Amino acid sequence: MAVQIPDDSVFSSFKDQCLSPDGWISRYSKGGVTVWCQAEESRNVQKLKMRIVCKDVAAETLYDVLHDTSYRRKWDTNMIETYDIGRLTANADVGYYSWKCPSPLKNRDFVTMRSWLPLGNDYLIINYSVKHPQHPPKKDYVRAVSLLTGYLIQSNGAGCSTLYYLTQMDPRGSLPKWVVNRVSQFVAPKAMRKIYKASLKYPDWKRKHSPALKPWMFPEQNSLPSISVGELTLQRGDSLENIDESGAAEEKTHHSEDEET
Protein backbone atom coordinates (compact mmCIF):
# COMPACT_ATOMS: atom_id res chain seq x y z
CA MET A 1 0.00 0.00 0.00
CA ALA A 2 1.20 3.50 -0.84
CA VAL A 3 2.49 5.78 1.91
CA GLN A 4 1.01 9.25 2.22
CA ILE A 5 2.50 12.07 4.25
CA PRO A 6 -0.17 13.28 6.70
CA ASP A 7 -2.03 16.45 5.79
CA ASP A 8 -3.80 18.88 8.12
CA SER A 9 -6.94 16.71 8.25
CA VAL A 10 -4.94 13.78 9.67
CA PHE A 11 -3.47 15.98 12.40
CA SER A 12 -6.92 17.41 13.16
CA SER A 13 -8.41 13.91 13.45
CA PHE A 14 -5.58 12.83 15.75
CA LYS A 15 -6.16 15.86 17.99
CA ASP A 16 -9.88 15.05 18.18
CA GLN A 17 -9.07 11.48 19.29
CA CYS A 18 -6.80 12.81 22.02
CA LEU A 19 -9.42 15.20 23.37
CA SER A 20 -12.58 13.12 22.93
CA PRO A 21 -13.81 10.95 25.85
CA ASP A 22 -15.97 8.80 23.56
CA GLY A 23 -15.19 5.09 23.70
CA TRP A 24 -12.36 5.37 26.23
CA ILE A 25 -12.29 3.53 29.56
CA SER A 26 -10.21 4.97 32.41
CA ARG A 27 -7.65 2.46 33.67
CA TYR A 28 -5.48 4.68 35.87
CA SER A 29 -5.74 8.16 37.38
CA LYS A 30 -3.23 9.27 39.98
CA GLY A 31 -0.71 12.02 40.58
CA GLY A 32 -1.69 14.08 37.54
CA VAL A 33 -1.50 11.14 35.10
CA THR A 34 -4.53 9.52 33.47
CA VAL A 35 -4.48 6.39 31.30
CA TRP A 36 -7.39 5.21 29.15
CA CYS A 37 -7.81 2.11 27.01
CA GLN A 38 -10.15 1.32 24.17
CA ALA A 39 -11.43 -2.05 23.04
CA GLU A 40 -10.38 -2.94 19.50
CA GLU A 41 -12.07 -5.19 16.95
CA SER A 42 -8.89 -7.26 16.87
CA ARG A 43 -7.70 -8.51 20.23
CA ASN A 44 -4.10 -8.15 19.07
CA VAL A 45 -4.38 -4.39 18.57
CA GLN A 46 -3.75 -2.35 21.70
CA LYS A 47 -5.08 1.21 21.91
CA LEU A 48 -4.02 3.42 24.82
CA LYS A 49 -4.29 7.12 25.57
CA MET A 50 -2.47 9.01 28.32
CA ARG A 51 -2.44 12.55 29.67
CA ILE A 52 -0.17 14.39 32.07
CA VAL A 53 -0.31 18.01 33.20
CA CYS A 54 3.21 19.46 33.16
CA LYS A 55 3.60 22.36 35.57
CA ASP A 56 6.56 24.68 34.92
CA VAL A 57 7.18 23.19 31.46
CA ALA A 58 6.37 25.23 28.37
CA ALA A 59 4.74 23.48 25.43
CA GLU A 60 7.72 24.41 23.25
CA THR A 61 10.08 22.62 25.65
CA LEU A 62 8.04 19.41 25.59
CA TYR A 63 8.04 19.57 21.80
CA ASP A 64 11.83 19.89 21.74
CA VAL A 65 12.31 17.02 24.21
CA LEU A 66 10.19 14.65 22.12
CA HIS A 67 12.15 15.55 18.98
CA ASP A 68 15.69 15.62 20.37
CA THR A 69 17.17 12.15 19.72
CA SER A 70 20.42 12.97 21.51
CA TYR A 71 18.55 13.90 24.68
CA ARG A 72 16.21 10.92 24.44
CA ARG A 73 19.13 8.63 25.18
CA LYS A 74 19.40 10.36 28.56
CA TRP A 75 15.87 9.64 29.78
CA ASP A 76 14.20 6.88 27.74
CA THR A 77 15.32 3.80 29.68
CA ASN A 78 12.98 1.53 27.66
CA MET A 79 14.81 2.42 24.44
CA ILE A 80 17.46 0.05 23.11
CA GLU A 81 18.37 1.94 19.95
CA THR A 82 17.05 4.76 17.80
CA TYR A 83 18.31 6.44 14.65
CA ASP A 84 17.04 8.55 11.77
CA ILE A 85 16.96 6.92 8.34
CA GLY A 86 16.12 9.82 6.04
CA ARG A 87 14.20 13.01 5.40
CA LEU A 88 10.99 13.09 3.37
CA THR A 89 9.93 16.75 3.68
CA ALA A 90 10.59 19.71 5.96
CA ASN A 91 8.31 18.16 8.56
CA ALA A 92 8.47 14.40 7.90
CA ASP A 93 11.16 11.76 8.24
CA VAL A 94 11.68 8.01 8.65
CA GLY A 95 13.35 6.45 11.66
CA TYR A 96 14.07 3.27 13.59
CA TYR A 97 13.26 2.58 17.25
CA SER A 98 13.68 -0.54 19.39
CA TRP A 99 12.50 -0.99 22.96
CA LYS A 100 12.70 -3.41 25.86
CA CYS A 101 9.58 -5.42 26.62
CA PRO A 102 8.76 -6.82 30.07
CA SER A 103 10.64 -10.08 30.62
CA PRO A 104 10.24 -12.81 29.38
CA LEU A 105 8.72 -11.31 26.20
CA LYS A 106 10.80 -10.63 23.10
CA ASN A 107 11.87 -7.05 22.48
CA ARG A 108 10.07 -5.08 19.77
CA ASP A 109 11.21 -2.66 17.10
CA PHE A 110 9.61 -0.30 14.58
CA VAL A 111 10.39 1.54 11.37
CA THR A 112 8.07 4.54 11.23
CA MET A 113 7.31 7.60 9.20
CA ARG A 114 7.05 10.55 11.58
CA SER A 115 5.46 13.89 10.83
CA TRP A 116 5.03 16.98 12.99
CA LEU A 117 3.07 20.21 12.99
CA PRO A 118 2.99 23.28 15.25
CA LEU A 119 -0.61 24.51 15.17
CA GLY A 120 -1.36 27.71 17.07
CA ASN A 121 -0.77 26.91 20.75
CA ASP A 122 -0.66 23.19 19.99
CA TYR A 123 2.15 20.94 18.83
CA LEU A 124 1.52 17.55 17.23
CA ILE A 125 3.83 14.66 16.39
CA ILE A 126 2.42 11.50 14.79
CA ASN A 127 3.88 8.34 13.27
CA TYR A 128 2.89 5.09 11.65
CA SER A 129 4.83 2.05 10.50
CA VAL A 130 6.34 1.78 7.05
CA LYS A 131 8.57 -0.67 5.20
CA HIS A 132 11.97 0.55 4.04
CA PRO A 133 13.91 -1.83 1.74
CA GLN A 134 17.21 -1.30 3.59
CA HIS A 135 15.75 -1.83 7.06
CA PRO A 136 13.98 -5.22 7.12
CA PRO A 137 12.98 -7.03 10.33
CA LYS A 138 15.88 -8.14 12.55
CA LYS A 139 16.20 -11.67 13.85
CA ASP A 140 16.50 -10.72 17.55
CA TYR A 141 13.38 -8.51 17.55
CA VAL A 142 9.70 -8.79 16.80
CA ARG A 143 8.84 -6.11 14.24
CA ALA A 144 5.76 -4.43 15.71
CA VAL A 145 3.35 -2.15 13.87
CA SER A 146 2.31 1.38 14.81
CA LEU A 147 -1.08 1.92 13.17
CA LEU A 148 -1.15 5.45 14.58
CA THR A 149 0.92 6.81 17.45
CA GLY A 150 1.65 10.34 18.52
CA TYR A 151 1.69 13.26 20.90
CA LEU A 152 -0.50 16.31 21.34
CA ILE A 153 1.02 19.13 23.40
CA GLN A 154 -1.25 21.97 24.50
CA SER A 155 -0.08 25.20 26.09
CA ASN A 156 -1.81 26.12 29.33
CA GLY A 157 -0.17 29.54 29.43
CA ALA A 158 2.40 30.86 31.92
CA GLY A 159 4.95 28.14 31.12
CA CYS A 160 2.62 25.19 31.75
CA SER A 161 1.35 22.55 29.36
CA THR A 162 -0.61 19.32 28.96
CA LEU A 163 0.79 16.32 27.12
CA TYR A 164 -1.36 13.63 25.49
CA TYR A 165 0.09 10.40 24.14
CA LEU A 166 -2.06 8.09 22.02
CA THR A 167 -0.97 4.81 20.52
CA GLN A 168 -2.75 2.23 18.39
CA MET A 169 -0.30 -0.63 18.04
CA ASP A 170 -0.15 -4.21 16.85
CA PRO A 171 2.65 -5.86 18.90
CA ARG A 172 2.61 -8.89 16.56
CA GLY A 173 1.78 -11.51 19.09
CA SER A 174 -0.87 -12.73 21.47
CA LEU A 175 0.11 -11.02 24.70
CA PRO A 176 -0.86 -12.33 28.12
CA LYS A 177 -3.38 -10.25 30.04
CA TRP A 178 -0.82 -9.35 32.70
CA VAL A 179 1.24 -7.47 30.10
CA VAL A 180 -1.70 -5.25 29.11
CA ASN A 181 -2.47 -4.63 32.78
CA ARG A 182 1.13 -3.80 33.64
CA VAL A 183 1.42 -1.39 30.71
CA SER A 184 -1.67 0.58 31.76
CA GLN A 185 -0.97 0.51 35.50
CA PHE A 186 2.81 0.94 35.67
CA VAL A 187 4.69 1.27 32.38
CA ALA A 188 2.54 4.00 30.81
CA PRO A 189 2.28 6.28 33.88
CA LYS A 190 6.00 5.91 34.57
CA ALA A 191 6.85 6.79 30.95
CA MET A 192 4.74 9.96 31.10
CA ARG A 193 6.41 11.05 34.33
CA LYS A 194 9.82 10.43 32.79
CA ILE A 195 9.00 12.77 29.92
CA TYR A 196 7.83 15.41 32.41
CA LYS A 197 10.97 15.13 34.56
CA ALA A 198 13.20 15.13 31.47
CA SER A 199 11.48 18.29 30.24
CA LEU A 200 12.22 20.09 33.51
CA LYS A 201 15.95 19.39 33.01
CA TYR A 202 16.09 19.94 29.26
CA PRO A 203 16.69 23.73 29.10
CA ASP A 204 19.88 23.42 31.18
CA TRP A 205 21.06 20.40 29.19
CA LYS A 206 20.36 22.05 25.84
CA ARG A 207 22.32 25.17 26.76
CA LYS A 208 25.42 22.94 26.92
CA HIS A 209 24.67 20.80 23.87
CA SER A 210 24.33 22.63 20.54
CA PRO A 211 21.69 25.09 21.81
CA ALA A 212 20.97 26.49 18.34
CA LEU A 213 20.55 23.08 16.68
CA LYS A 214 16.86 22.26 16.29
CA PRO A 215 16.29 20.78 12.81
CA TRP A 216 12.66 20.03 13.70
CA MET A 217 12.17 23.80 13.94
CA PHE A 218 14.72 24.89 11.32
CA PRO A 219 14.63 22.51 8.32
CA GLU A 220 17.76 24.07 6.83
CA GLN A 221 19.71 22.43 9.69
CA ASN A 222 18.55 18.94 8.69
CA SER A 223 21.51 16.94 7.35
CA LEU A 224 19.67 13.63 6.85
CA PRO A 225 19.79 12.08 3.38
CA SER A 226 16.69 12.82 1.35
CA ILE A 227 14.48 9.85 0.56
CA SER A 228 11.39 9.59 -1.61
CA VAL A 229 8.01 8.50 -0.31
CA GLY A 230 7.99 6.14 -3.30
CA GLU A 231 10.72 4.07 -1.58
CA LEU A 232 8.30 3.25 1.25
CA THR A 233 5.27 1.03 1.56
CA LEU A 234 2.74 0.86 4.37
CA GLN A 235 3.61 -1.73 7.01
CA ARG A 236 0.74 -3.87 8.20
CA GLY A 237 0.89 -6.84 10.49
CA ASP A 238 -0.25 -9.54 8.10
CA SER A 239 3.13 -9.55 6.34
CA LEU A 240 5.09 -10.02 9.57
CA GLU A 241 5.80 -12.90 11.93
CA ASN A 242 3.09 -13.36 14.54
CA ILE A 243 4.23 -15.03 17.77
CA ASP A 244 2.17 -16.47 20.60
CA GLU A 245 3.40 -15.20 23.97
CA SER A 246 0.03 -15.54 25.70
CA GLY A 247 1.38 -18.25 27.99
CA ALA A 248 4.38 -16.22 29.20
CA ALA A 249 4.41 -16.02 32.98
CA GLU A 250 4.87 -12.71 34.76
CA GLU A 251 8.17 -12.27 36.55
CA LYS A 252 7.60 -10.60 39.88
CA THR A 253 9.23 -7.19 40.00
CA HIS A 254 9.21 -4.45 42.57
CA HIS A 255 7.25 -1.40 41.45
CA SER A 256 8.69 1.70 43.02
CA GLU A 257 6.62 4.52 44.46
CA ASP A 258 7.63 6.56 41.43
CA GLU A 259 5.69 4.17 39.22
CA GLU A 260 2.58 4.05 41.33
CA THR A 261 2.02 7.63 42.43
Side-chain angles (χ1 to χ4, degrees):
M1 295 176 67
V3 170
Q4 292 185 325
I5 295 172
D7 59 18
D8 288 359
S9 67
V10 175
F11 283 101
S12 178
S13 173
F14 178 80
K15 178 180 175 180
D16 289 345
Q17 288 188 65
C18 288
L19 298 178
S20 173
D22 296 343
W24 293 97
I25 302 165
S26 178
R27 294 292 305 274
Y28 177 100
S29 184
K30 194 184 293 185
V33 179
T34 307
V35 180
W36 298 269
C37 68
Q38 190 172 93
E40 285 294 309
E41 292 180 7
S42 165
R43 68 186 184 92
N44 289 334
V45 174
Q46 309 297 325
K47 193 167 184 180
L48 287 175
K49 179 169 70 171
M50 304 156 228
R51 180 186 66 200
I52 185 169
V53 177
C54 299
K55 298 175 183 177
D56 302 317
V57 176
E60 297 89 345
T61 301
L62 269 172
Y63 187 60
D64 290 347
V65 167
L66 294 170
H67 271 290
D68 198 325
T69 303
S70 297
Y71 190 60
R72 190 176 197 109
R73 296 184 177 96
K74 299 284 185 183
W75 62 266
D76 188 353
T77 54
N78 290 321
M79 182 182 74
I80 299 171
E81 183 182 19
T82 187
Y83 53 83
D84 297 322
I85 294 171
R87 168 173 49 98
L88 291 164
T89 66
N91 70 322
D93 62 18
V94 177
Y96 174 87
Y97 180 86
S98 57
W99 57 286
K100 290 179 276 190
C101 286
S103 181
L105 304 184
K106 283 189 171 184
N107 294 327
R108 263 63 176 176
D109 68 356
F110 301 86
V111 172
T112 62
M113 190 199 71
R114 182 181 61 157
S115 188
W116 55 93
L117 183 70
L119 195 64
N121 291 326
D122 299 335
Y123 296 86
L124 297 101
I125 305 171
I126 60 177
N127 75 59
Y128 59 82
S129 286
V130 295
K131 295 181 189 177
H132 187 286
Q134 295 176 16
H135 298 271
K138 300 181 179 184
K139 69 170 186 173
D140 294 329
Y141 294 90
V142 176
R143 178 61 52 89
V145 178
S146 166
L147 300 170
L148 178 65
T149 298
Y151 300 93
L152 166 66
I153 307 163
Q154 294 194 304
S155 174
N156 297 339
C160 296
S161 53
T162 300
L163 172 66
Y164 291 85
Y165 173 73
L166 186 149
T167 181
Q168 185 177 6
M169 185 186 72
D170 180 352
R172 297 314 298 151
S174 300
L175 299 178
K177 190 174 181 180
W178 65 261
V179 171
V180 179
N181 290 338
R182 188 194 289 187
V183 167
S184 62
Q185 296 294 315
F186 298 104
V187 178
K190 185 177 181 181
M192 295 297 275
R193 291 190 180 96
K194 279 185 180 178
I195 295 172
Y196 179 26
K197 290 177 180 178
S199 298
L200 289 168
K201 298 176 182 178
Y202 181 74
D204 284 342
W205 181 89
K206 188 61 176 172
R207 274 192 284 271
K208 302 169 187 172
H209 298 84
S210 307
L213 184 63
K214 295 184 180 183
W216 53 92
M217 297 283 285
F218 309 109
E220 66 275 8
Q221 296 177 346
N222 195 322
S223 59
L224 289 175
S226 181
I227 59 177
S228 165
V229 72
E231 298 176 49
L232 309 172
T233 52
L234 203 58
Q235 178 72 76
R236 286 294 180 255
D238 53 10
S239 66
L240 293 168
E241 177 189 16
N242 192 40
I243 63 171
D244 184 2
E245 296 176 300
S246 58
E250 181 175 12
E251 295 185 0
K252 296 298 181 183
T253 57
H254 172 71
H255 297 296
S256 70
E257 197 67 23
D258 177 59
E259 292 171 292
E260 297 177 344
T261 59

